[in-house]
Amino acid sequence: NYGGGFYCGGNGEYNALHIKGNKAKNGGGAYISGPANLTNALISGNYASENGGGIHIYYSAPVLTNNTVAGNNAVIAGGGIYSSSSNNSKIRNSVIYGNSKGLSGYMIASYCFIEGSSATTNGNIPGSVDPQFLEPHVYTNAPSILGNYILKSNSPVVDKGDNSIY
């Protein structure tokens, strides 16, 4: 039901995860209900029959840094990320692209590329262009472990993050 690939119900530091090809009712890739830090993760090809194809944040305030959330699918909301909280969830130096229904809920974003967003405050990059992944996989095929989400050298998001939070 919760967190097809990863479930975090408390504090934790998680680094360099690949969460791919999973499915669950909520949080196809990951379900976070604690103040965890998730850094340098690739979350792709996951499926949720309800909310949060990639990540479902449940009334907590995690910090997500240097992550790629792409190619995920959710039936109801938040194909990439679904946050049911108005807490201080933060997403930094991350790319959210190619998901069904994108980002749903409230998060404080800085130095991010979020598909469909026109925000340029906090160093964010308008998400109106393709970030140029090597071999993205279509979210309609989720769950799937396919896809290569390394950025091409001509990507509009290369070297656009904030090094002080890396």
Side-chain angles (χ1 to χ4, degrees), residues 53-131:
I55 302 171
H56 185 232
I57 299 168
Y58 184 75
Y59 295 102
S60 62
V63 177
L64 311 174
T65 306
N66 298 338
N67 298 298
T68 298
V69 181
N72 301 289
N73 191 358
V75 173
I76 297 175
I81 300 174
Y82 176 83
S83 178
S84 60
S85 171
S86 62
N87 291 338
N88 292 323
S89 298
K90 294 182 178 109
I91 183 163
R92 312 177 305 180
N93 284 8
S94 295
V95 176
I96 315 299
Y97 186 83
N99 304 287
S100 71
K101 301 172 179 59
L103 178 71
S104 178
Y106 181 77
M107 295 190 77
I108 300 167
S110 59
Y111 295 92
C112 289
F113 179 94
I114 301 171
E115 182 177 19
S117 174
S118 59
T120 57
T121 56
N122 298 328
N124 290 312
I125 304 152
S128 57
V129 297
D130 186 335

Side-chain angles (χ1 to χ4, degrees), residues 17 26 38-40 52 57 78 82 89 98 113 118 123 137 143 159:
L17 301 175
N26 288 289
L38 183 61
T39 307
N40 298 321
I57 299 168
Y82 176 83
S89 298
F113 179 94
S118 59
H137 200 64
D159 295 329

Side-chain angles (χ1 to χ4, degrees), residues 66 68 93-95 111-113 123-126 129-134 149-163:
N66 298 338
T68 298
N93 284 8
S94 295
V95 176
Y111 295 92
C112 289
F113 179 94
N124 290 312
I125 304 152
V129 297
D130 186 335
Q132 301 292 313
F133 294 125
L134 279 178
Y149 294 94
I150 294 173
L151 295 169
K152 293 179 182 176
S153 61
N154 63 335
S155 169
V157 298
V158 167
D159 295 329
K160 300 293 186 198
D162 180 358
N163 288 334

